[in-house]
């Protein structure tokens, strides 16, 4: 494997420097994940705000500075809210039960009190016409179920009651006794349902408002949590920036003047670069020599004419190239990021080299 000749102290210092840079890269990778998570949270939050109904600006003003319950308090409130709402729904279902009982006691209700005897009546096409059979007896039993399989709200019961009579009118021809009985009972049911409907609507609106309030509190807690994460990330970024500054100072202090032998070795190594890598080396030189046309076929590199910072940047670059020839390309992205940091360090070296000595 081709290598660039360097003294043992130089190799040790470079390896130490690379180790510190690798540690910073690991911190940066973790910070990137954290930043992406926070960014995604706020993107989703903004989308929800934009998709919400108009008039929320007044609500948002009211929400500013409001007290945000703790997670434990919210859980307690949610449990209490569900319990209270369940009791209110039970009362509505009780009132609906009164309506169902009145309909069931009608003289024409008997054909609808139990499932249709399809086999006994020889109704061979019944299941082809009726997709979901239903009867008042089944509805009553489901309303009284204690195992958690019963109805959860009044509208679901209402839908099944309508289904009982709709099925009867669909299967039996208009003008038939069963069709007429079903139509009459459905009309009576709708009249009674309209009396209960305002209470049902009021309860639904109340539940919706309570749910919106709960969701808002959850969102505020999440935002507060992410605000803390942002502050923590900011502190970590400051720490990384401090470490980078320390590395810059180390490079400035450690970069000795390159010896003639080092320059000769560097020149030999540069000559062995591929056309692509040579062009990259010329780009490094061009940063300190704006007038240089970075084309490998046309430019001859004068190692002795380069500044110390450029020489050391070339030295690090060439060493990276030869060390990477026998390695997989899995680390290419990290090398590019290293080059960016080396560039930043070199810029600092260049700026400090321009300062007049005291």
């Amino acid at each position: 494997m081709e290598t660039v000749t360097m003294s043992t102290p130089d190799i040790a210092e470079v390896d130490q420097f690379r180790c510190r840079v690798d540690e910073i890269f690991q911190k940066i990778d973790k910070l990137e994940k954290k930043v992406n998570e926070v960014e995604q949270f706020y993107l989703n939050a903004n989308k929800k705000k934009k998709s919400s109904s108009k008039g929320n600006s007044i609500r948002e003003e009211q929400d500013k500075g409001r007290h945000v319950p703790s997670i434990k308090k919210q859980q307690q409130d949610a449990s209490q809210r569900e319990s209270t709402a369940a009791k209110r729904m039970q009362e509505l279902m009780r009132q609906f039960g009164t309506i169902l009982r009145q309909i069931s006691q009608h003289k024409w209700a008997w054909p609808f009190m139990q499932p249709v005897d399809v086999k006994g009546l020889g109704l061979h096409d019944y299941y082809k016409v009726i997709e979901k059979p239903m009867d008042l007896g089944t509805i009553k039993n489901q309303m009284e179920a204690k195992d958690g399989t019963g109805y959860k709200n009044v509208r679901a019961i209402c839908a099944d009651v309508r289904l009982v009579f709709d099925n009867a009118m669909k299967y039996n021809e208009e003008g038939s006794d069963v069709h007429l009985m079903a139509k009459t009972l459905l009309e009576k049911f709708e009249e009674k349902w309209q009396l209960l409907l305002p209470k049902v609507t009021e309860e639904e609106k109340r539940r919706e408002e309570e749910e919106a309030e709960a969701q808002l509190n959850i969102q505020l807690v999440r935002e507060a949590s992410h605000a803390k994460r942002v502050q923590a990330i900011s502190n970590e970024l400051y720490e990384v920036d401090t470490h980078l500054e320390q590395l810059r100072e180390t490079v400035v202090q450690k970069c000795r003047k390159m010896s003639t032998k080092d320059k000769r070795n560097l020149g030999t190594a540069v000559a062995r670069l591929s056309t692509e890598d040579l062009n990259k080396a010329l780009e490094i030189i061009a940063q300190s020599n704006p007038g240089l046309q970075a084309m490998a076929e046309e430019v001859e590199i004068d190692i002795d004419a380069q500044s110390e910072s450029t020489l050391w940047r070339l030295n690090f670059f060439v060493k990276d190239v030869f060390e990477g020839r026998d390695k997989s390309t899995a680390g290419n992205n990290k090398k590019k990021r290293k080059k960016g940091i080396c560039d930043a360090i070199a810029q600092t070296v260049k700026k400090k080299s321009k300062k007049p000595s005291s």
Side-chain angles (χ1 to χ4, degrees):
M1 181 183 72
E2 294 177 298
T3 59
V4 180
T5 304
M6 296 180 68
S7 64
T8 301
D10 287 339
I11 294 174
E13 289 178 354
V14 170
D15 288 342
Q16 184 181 15
F17 174 78
R18 291 179 187 281
C19 182
R20 293 182 66 184
V21 170
D22 285 338
E23 290 176 357
I24 291 178
F25 284 151
Q26 292 175 6
K27 289 184 179 180
I28 291 174
D29 288 337
K30 293 178 180 179
L31 283 171
E32 284 179 344
K33 292 179 181 179
K34 292 180 181 179
V35 169
N36 288 337
E37 290 173 0
V38 172
E39 182 181 24
Q40 191 59 48
F41 170 79
Y42 283 109
L43 283 174
N44 292 337
N46 288 334
K47 287 180 181 178
K48 289 179 181 179
K49 288 181 180 179
K50 289 180 180 179
S51 62
S52 61
S53 59
K54 295 181 178 179
N56 280 349
S57 58
I58 297 177
R59 178 66 179 273
E60 289 174 359
E61 287 297 324
Q62 294 173 345
D63 293 334
K64 290 181 179 179
R66 63 178 288 169
H67 172 69
V68 182
S70 64
I71 293 294
K72 184 177 181 179
K73 182 66 166 59
Q74 288 190 49
Q75 291 174 340
Q76 293 174 345
D77 290 346
S79 178
Q80 180 63 35
R81 185 170 58 252
E82 288 299 323
S83 176
T84 303
K87 290 180 180 179
R88 296 197 304 266
M89 183 57 67
Q90 285 297 323
E91 174 58 23
L92 288 174
M93 292 176 72
R94 186 193 67 77
Q95 294 181 42
F96 189 94
T98 301
I99 297 175
L100 183 62
R101 186 166 54 254
Q102 292 172 346
I103 296 298
S104 299
Q105 291 173 351
H106 194 278
K107 63 180 180 179
W108 284 353
W110 61 269
F112 314 108
M113 293 304 300
Q114 56 278 323
V116 175
D117 185 5
V118 176
K119 186 176 181 180
L121 296 175
L123 308 178
H124 307 297
D125 62 342
Y126 187 81
Y127 294 115
K128 294 181 180 179
V129 179
I130 303 303
E131 296 179 3
K132 182 183 177 183
M134 185 55 61
D135 64 276
L136 299 179
T138 297
I139 294 174
K140 182 175 181 295
N141 291 336
Q142 195 166 342
M143 286 182 66
E144 296 173 352
K146 304 297 183 181
D147 58 357
T149 61
Y151 293 106
K152 300 297 186 294
N153 60 74
V154 176
R155 282 194 184 273
I157 314 175
C158 175
D160 277 354
V161 172
R162 286 170 173 165
L163 183 61
V164 172
F165 302 125
D166 287 340
N167 284 348
M169 289 187 290
K170 183 177 182 180
Y171 187 78
N172 296 276
E173 295 182 357
E174 187 174 357
S176 65
D177 289 344
V178 174
H179 187 101
L180 178 60
M181 294 163 74
K183 183 178 180 180
T184 300
L185 290 178
L186 179 59
E187 290 174 352
K188 290 184 176 296
F189 168 74
E190 293 293 353
E191 289 177 2
K192 296 179 181 298
W193 168 248
Q194 290 302 315
L195 297 177
L196 182 60
L197 184 57
K199 295 181 180 180
V200 175
T201 302
E202 180 182 357
E203 172 60 21
E204 290 172 340
K205 183 179 180 181
R206 182 173 179 176
R207 287 301 300 270
E208 183 179 342
E209 291 175 348
E210 289 177 347
E211 182 62 25
E213 180 78 9
Q215 289 299 321
L216 177 61
N217 285 335
I218 291 174
Q219 179 67 15
L220 290 175
V221 168
R222 288 175 178 171
E223 288 182 1
S225 174
H226 279 77
K228 291 181 180 179
R229 292 192 66 188
V230 169
Q231 182 60 48
I233 291 172
S234 177
N235 293 338
E236 290 183 68
L237 285 171
Y238 176 79
E239 182 182 346
V240 168
D241 187 60
T242 301
H243 288 166
L244 284 174
E245 183 61 32
Q246 291 172 351
L247 285 177
R248 293 188 187 101
E249 291 298 325
T250 299
V251 170
V252 171
Q253 295 171 10
K254 296 294 183 180
C255 279
R256 59 174 172 76
K257 185 176 181 180
M258 191 172 285
S259 67
T260 303
K261 182 180 178 181
D262 289 335
K263 291 180 182 179
R264 184 167 62 253
N265 289 337
L266 179 58
T268 301
V270 170
R272 297 200 303 268
L273 293 174
S274 65
T275 301
E276 181 182 358
D277 288 329
L278 186 55
N279 282 328
K280 293 178 181 178
L282 290 172
E283 289 177 3
I284 293 175
I285 296 173
Q287 291 180 14
S288 300
N289 301 273
L292 178 68
Q293 296 295 322
M295 295 296 293
E297 297 84 355
E298 302 175 4
V299 177
E300 181 178 349
I301 300 176
D302 184 358
I303 293 295
D304 292 326
Q306 307 308 317
S307 65
E308 288 298 321
S309 61
T310 299
L311 289 174
W312 281 110
R313 287 182 62 206
L314 280 173
N315 193 69
F316 287 132
F317 170 72
V318 171
K319 190 172 187 295
D320 273 344
V321 169
F322 288 116
E323 285 183 349
R325 284 188 175 181
D326 296 330
K327 295 180 181 179
S328 66
T329 58
N332 283 347
N333 289 336
K334 183 168 286 188
K335 286 183 180 180
K336 290 179 181 178
R337 292 170 64 187
K338 281 186 178 181
K339 180 178 179 295
I341 287 184
C342 286
D343 288 345
I345 293 171
Q347 288 296 325
T348 300
V349 174
K350 182 179 177 183
K351 290 178 180 178
K352 293 197 174 186
S353 66
K354 290 182 179 180
K355 293 183 179 180
S357 58
S358 56

